[in-house]
Amino acid sequence: MRLTYWLKFAKGDNKIRTEYRRDVLRYIKNSLSEYAPEIYEEYYANKKENQPKPFTFSVSFSVAEKPNSKNDSFLLENDSLKIHFSFADYTFGMTVYNALLQEKNEAKIFGDAVQKIEHINLEKDKKIDDSTAVFKTLSPILVRDLHNGKGKGFIDSNHENFSDNLTKNITHLANHFLQETNISENEISVEPAKMKSDIINHYGGEIGNTGIIKISAPAEILQLIYDAGLGAKRSQGFGMLEVIQ
């Protein structure tokens, strides 16, 4: 299930901070806690922040002026942007949709200024039936450095462990959400194609990877990756993908 929110800013208020993903996430959590407390309790309350979430999102906008530093803001080229959501769980997706809809005319997602959700589009889902898919990133993929004892830190697409660590992430994701299937890492192959790496301003800075990636796995796993995202911190606005082949 995929949704696109068209957000309009008041004239003169079209700035978002470079850590805009945190603003979207905070808005989702606040909306769920108020309008769907049972869902909030299941996924976020009582130290459940690290529990895998069945969704990802990305934000698309045009920039008129780039920030001078990581603590600065993006000046948008116009007064609107789009937030794209993808859900692996239809019930969860509809809950988020209804929660965000409650504040359609007075959304305060980015800063103190009021924004308006002008349109909410239900996008057509893609069904993956093959065992290989080529994806392009809609938001950067974060891949943990698993050789660090606590899995802290992230690696770029040129790192020797990039594909192996991402394979481990996919295996964990599949075994969590596809509970009737015992997935082995041997069933999954990851091949970064045209990718680049940049430092993303998110909680101090993360290495994000964007571009084209080819993945071979059972079709149900590829579908899960398409629906729920790929890599670490998916529900914080990373790892959203589109199928291109």
Side-chain angles (χ1 to χ4, degrees), residues 191-236:
E191 181 183 339
K194 299 177 182 178
M195 302 202 76
K196 66 176 184 177
S197 304
D198 296 290
I199 300 298
I200 309 299
N201 189 23
H202 186 74
Y203 289 101
E206 315 286 18
I207 299 175
N209 303 279
T210 56
I212 308 298
I213 189 166
K214 179 180 179 181
I215 302 176
S216 297
E220 61 181 345
I221 296 179
L222 297 178
Q223 187 70 51
L224 176 63
I225 292 169
Y226 171 76
D227 291 333
L230 177 65
K233 300 189 177 185
R234 297 171 296 100
S235 62
Q236 296 181 31

Side-chain angles (χ1 to χ4, degrees), residues 43-228:
Y43 286 100
Y44 290 105
N46 301 321
K47 298 182 179 180
K48 294 180 180 178
E49 291 289 346
N50 293 327
Q51 176 180 329
K53 315 294 192 300
F55 79 100
T56 185
F57 69 85
S58 65
V59 183
S60 59
F61 52 87
S62 298
V63 176
E65 182 180 316
K66 293 184 178 180
N68 294 320
S69 70
K70 70 177 184 179
N71 295 320
D72 206 344
S73 300
F74 290 108
L75 176 63
L76 304 185
E77 192 170 54
N78 49 51
D79 59 358
S80 63
L81 58 71
K82 291 183 283 187
I83 305 175
H84 312 273
F85 291 98
S86 183
F87 303 96
D89 182 286
Y90 181 81
T91 300
F92 183 89
M94 287 305 300
T95 301
V96 171
Y97 167 79
N98 288 322
L100 297 183
L101 193 62
Q102 300 298 320
E103 300 179 0
K104 181 177 180 180
N105 294 319
E106 294 186 354
K108 288 187 177 181
I109 303 177
F110 303 103
D112 295 327
V114 174
Q115 298 100 41
K116 180 179 180 181
I117 300 174
E118 286 201 311
H119 307 287
I120 303 176
N121 292 344
L122 178 62
E123 308 294 347
K124 185 177 180 180
D125 283 330
K126 291 186 178 179
K127 177 67 174 176
I128 300 177
D129 297 315
D130 296 329
S131 59
T132 297
V134 179
F135 300 96
K136 70 174 180 180
T137 56
L138 299 181
S139 56
I141 300 169
L142 302 185
V143 180
R144 293 192 184 278
D145 179 7
L146 298 179
H147 288 274
N148 178 304
K150 295 183 179 180
K152 293 183 178 180
F154 298 90
I155 58 178
D156 63 41
S157 56
N158 292 318
H159 194 284
E160 61 180 353
N161 296 321
F162 181 85
S163 294
D164 287 344
N165 290 7
L166 198 50
T167 297
K168 288 180 171 62
N169 171 271
I170 295 170
T171 304
H172 175 74
L173 184 74
N175 284 323
H176 180 84
F177 287 110
L178 306 176
Q179 296 178 358
E180 297 180 359
T181 306
N182 186 20
I183 305 299
S184 167
E185 291 180 23
N186 295 329
E187 300 178 68
I188 302 167
S189 172
V190 175
E191 181 183 339
K194 299 177 182 178
M195 302 202 76
K196 66 176 184 177
S197 304
D198 296 290
I199 300 298
I200 309 299
N201 189 23
H202 186 74
Y203 289 101
E206 315 286 18
I207 299 175
N209 303 279
T210 56
I212 308 298
I213 189 166
K214 179 180 179 181
I215 302 176
S216 297
E220 61 181 345
I221 296 179
L222 297 178
Q223 187 70 51
L224 176 63
I225 292 169
Y226 171 76
D227 291 333

Side-chain angles (χ1 to χ4, degrees), residues 1-17:
M1 176 183 177
R2 291 199 163 193
L3 298 170
T4 298
Y5 285 66
W6 297 69
L7 198 71
K8 186 176 181 64
F9 290 75
K11 188 175 181 179
D13 288 327
N14 54 331
K15 278 188 176 183
I16 61 173
R17 64 177 185 147

